[in-house]
Amino acid sequence: MAVEQSQRTFVLPGDQIDPSLIPSHPKRALRLGPGLRHIPPNELVPTVAGQLVTDHRKNSIWVEYNGGRYIPTVGDLVIGTVHHSAVDYYYVMLSGYTSNAMLPQLAFEMATKKTRPNLSPGALVYARVSLANRHMDAELECVSPSTGKADGLGPLTGGMLFDISLGLARRLLMRKSVEEGKVVVLEELGAAGLAFETAVGRNGKIWVNGEKTKTVFAVGRAVKETDEKELDVEQQKKLVRKLVKELS
């Protein structure tokens, strides 16, 4: 994802956006992401304060920000907590500010009425938003509709769940989170020899699992400190060196 971030442009609600900053594509319609509102005929107005980011290849533009509540969007990867179940659905909490999303009990790889997973309240699932609009509860899936495979989605067992900002979640989910998102903390921890796995939810969640509890705590602490203190690349590397020294 060729995200333009070399020259940072910060905006406030109601600011005028320079037309030269808005991407254009001869064949693709402009895609508006979070934090922007279209005022006909051709004006874009920020609704939140943050960094204006564009992706010219996808002809999209959005405002990167840490605050606000998560609003489900089709295609988002999310981490949810099962609230309760009904005959055909699990009802899943994505955040404390949105209504429960619906996860069909057969929306798992190779799931049938006999083999579908039995998820109790409190269970964690890694899912994709398959349906979202303002008039209906969001719907989730834990299987690729094109391949029928889980592709890494499904129940998350063990590990710990940490809350992070929506901005950091988006950066971690970038295809090139190091080069474009400027987040190196996970790569540096892995390079230092720590064994762990993660799943990142666009709804401001990161799940960390590993054989050693102290490793899970260290990874969670590193990510949260990177987020809360807005550490740059060099500061993230310094933090990792400090944590690895404490673990040794």
Side-chain angles (χ1 to χ4, degrees):
M1 189 162 67
V3 178
E4 299 294 331
Q5 289 182 311
S6 56
Q7 292 185 337
R8 296 192 173 191
T9 301
F10 292 92
V11 294
L12 296 172
D15 278 357
Q16 285 191 333
I17 297 178
D18 189 325
S20 66
L21 298 175
I22 302 174
S24 62
H25 193 282
K27 296 182 180 179
R28 293 183 179 177
L30 180 65
R31 295 177 57 184
L32 296 187
L36 289 172
R37 182 178 64 186
H38 173 235
I39 298 180
N42 54 13
E43 187 178 0
L44 297 183
V45 177
T47 59
V48 296
Q51 180 186 350
L52 189 68
V53 184
T54 59
D55 183 346
H56 286 276
R57 196 177 70 178
K58 292 187 177 181
N59 203 38
S60 60
I61 183 170
W62 67 91
V63 177
E64 194 73 75
Y65 64 100
N66 286 335
R69 65 186 180 93
Y70 171 68
I71 300 175
T73 302
V74 172
D76 280 357
L77 296 176
V78 294
I79 298 176
T81 304
V82 174
H83 184 269
H84 67 280
S85 63
V87 176
D88 297 315
Y89 290 91
Y90 292 110
Y91 289 85
V92 180
M93 296 183 294
L94 299 182
S95 76
Y97 309 100
T98 56
S99 58
N100 292 334
M102 298 189 301
L103 173 60
Q105 294 189 9
L106 298 182
F108 295 83
E109 183 177 350
M110 304 293 288
T112 66
K113 288 188 175 182
K114 290 185 178 181
T115 63
R116 59 190 178 187
N118 183 19
L119 301 178
S120 303
L124 298 177
V125 290
Y126 196 32
R128 180 187 297 107
V129 178
S130 57
L131 177 66
N133 65 58
R134 65 180 62 185
H135 305 296
M136 298 174 59
D137 291 339
E139 190 164 310
L140 309 176
E141 62 188 3
C142 290
V143 63
S144 169
S146 57
T147 66
K149 300 294 184 181
D151 292 339
L153 303 179
L156 297 173
T157 56
M160 292 188 64
L161 188 65
F162 299 89
D163 290 328
I164 57 176
S165 68
L166 299 181
L168 181 62
R170 177 184 282 274
R171 289 162 61 198
L172 284 168
L173 285 167
M174 287 179 174
R175 196 166 295 176
K176 296 180 180 179
S177 60
V178 173
E179 295 91 339
E180 296 164 358
K182 306 302 181 185
V183 184
V184 302
V185 63
L186 294 178
E187 282 72 13
E188 290 292 315
L189 287 166
L194 274 65
F196 62 92
E197 59 178 332
T198 62
V200 178
R202 182 65 186 85
N203 54 327
K205 310 286 183 184
I206 182 170
W207 172 81
V208 183
N209 193 23
E211 291 184 1
K212 298 180 179 179
T213 303
K214 63 179 183 179
T215 297
V216 173
F217 275 114
V219 174
R221 175 185 166 190
V223 173
K224 288 188 70 68
E225 195 165 325
T226 295
D227 191 16
E228 293 166 359
K229 295 184 178 180
E230 299 182 350
L231 303 183
D232 61 26
V233 170
E234 289 305 315
Q235 290 171 326
Q236 291 173 53
K237 291 180 178 180
K238 184 177 179 180
L239 172 62
V240 168
R241 290 194 295 269
K242 173 188 171 185
L243 291 176
V244 170
K245 188 176 180 180
E246 290 177 0
L247 289 172
S248 60

